[in-house]
Amino acid sequence: MEAMLVPSWLESLLSSDFFSVCSSHKDSPRSECNMFCLDCQDDAFCFYCRSTRHKDHPVIQIRRSSYHDVVRVTEIEKVLDISGVQTYVINSARVLFLNERPQPKTTGKASSHLCEICRRSLLDPFRFCSLGCKLVGIKRNGDASFILSTKNDEITERMPRRLAAKAEEELREGIQQEMYQSMPPPSHSNSRRRKGIPQRAPLGP
């Protein structure tokens, strides 16, 4: 059951140690190990390793925010269903955290949205604060999934939206037409008179 809900590479990604210096390219300027290969499912690697060993493989780049690992939504949503996970905007990019973070000290009013697993305060009504917490939730309850639907399913899901948008547009146009039809035509009594030869009244006896 769990294998159907979680891709095989996810736990390796979440347990990887990122941002160490690559032993093979430690003297190079971009030697931080901040990439992960979905095919190889091995340790993190650097920019130069990608060019040599993972050239044609699907690769995800990990970034860091306040010493915590994050991934951009535009990258991860292509390979993973991230629904239910809180996202954040950092440096003008929407990201989400890989794993649970230490809880900050509670100040002020408590949040009404909490992570179901670690009880961390959330900004919006999401279920989980990170991919790691969603993974724990799937293992506990099995009521969520990381597996993306197939392309055919995505197409069929988008079609009703397009049809609904078209129906809404037609409905809006229909309402406008009804409004015009329900308005009484302007009365121009003078404009309805035909111009022609004036008729003379019959002469009396």
Side-chain angles (χ1 to χ4, degrees):
M1 178 65 178
E2 181 183 320
M4 298 174 59
L5 304 175
V6 181
S8 59
W9 50 264
L10 181 61
E11 292 195 59
S12 297
L13 170 69
L14 298 181
S15 61
S16 293
D17 181 23
F18 293 100
F19 295 98
S20 59
V21 177
C22 178
S23 58
S24 302
H25 305 96
K26 56 185 177 182
D27 296 327
S28 302
R30 301 177 66 177
S31 59
E32 283 187 330
C33 295
N34 63 343
M35 298 189 180
F36 182 84
C37 179
L38 305 187
D39 282 353
C40 301
Q41 303 180 32
D42 207 347
D43 295 332
F45 52 90
C46 75
F47 170 81
Y48 304 101
C49 291
R50 177 180 185 176
S51 303
T52 56
R53 297 184 306 173
H54 309 276
K55 184 177 180 181
D56 299 321
H57 295 180
V59 170
I60 292 177
Q61 181 176 350
I62 304 303
R63 292 168 168 82
R64 181 154 284 190
S65 172
S66 302
Y67 304 101
H68 297 290
D69 297 335
V70 301
V71 61
R72 285 185 176 177
V73 169
T74 53
E75 286 189 54
I76 196 68
E77 67 181 357
K78 297 175 183 178
V79 294
L80 208 64
D81 181 353
I82 60 172
S83 58
V85 182
Q86 173 75 64
T87 61
Y88 301 86
V89 176
I90 299 175
N91 295 331
S92 302
R94 187 161 292 277
V95 303
L96 49 80
F97 287 88
L98 295 192
N99 291 294
E100 173 187 347
R101 291 161 290 153
Q103 289 280 15
K105 293 182 179 180
T106 304
T107 56
K109 186 178 178 181
S111 172
S112 58
H113 310 304
L114 299 175
C115 175
E116 293 182 7
I117 305 303
C118 69
R119 311 304 294 172
R120 183 184 183 85
S121 298
L122 303 177
L123 301 176
D124 305 299
F126 288 94
R127 297 181 60 189
F128 310 104
C129 71
S130 62
L131 294 178
C133 281
K134 181 173 180 178
L135 176 61
V136 174
I138 291 174
K139 290 183 175 181
R140 286 184 185 177
N141 307 315
D143 61 347
S145 174
F146 278 119
I147 304 298
L148 287 173
S149 57
T150 62
K151 290 185 177 180
N152 289 337
D153 290 339
E154 291 174 356
I155 292 172
T156 55
E157 286 176 2
R158 289 196 298 266
M159 284 179 64
R161 295 179 187 174
R162 290 199 297 265
L163 293 175
K166 183 178 181 182
E168 182 181 353
E169 183 180 352
E170 291 175 350
L171 178 61
R172 190 182 301 113
E173 291 177 355
I175 292 174
Q176 291 177 349
Q177 290 177 359
E178 289 177 2
M179 290 174 59
Y180 293 139
Q181 291 173 359
S182 62
M183 294 174 62
S187 57
H188 300 294
S189 56
N190 293 335
S191 64
R192 293 186 177 183
R193 292 179 180 176
R194 287 187 173 181
K195 292 183 179 180
I197 302 174
Q199 300 290 330
R200 291 184 178 182
L203 298 174

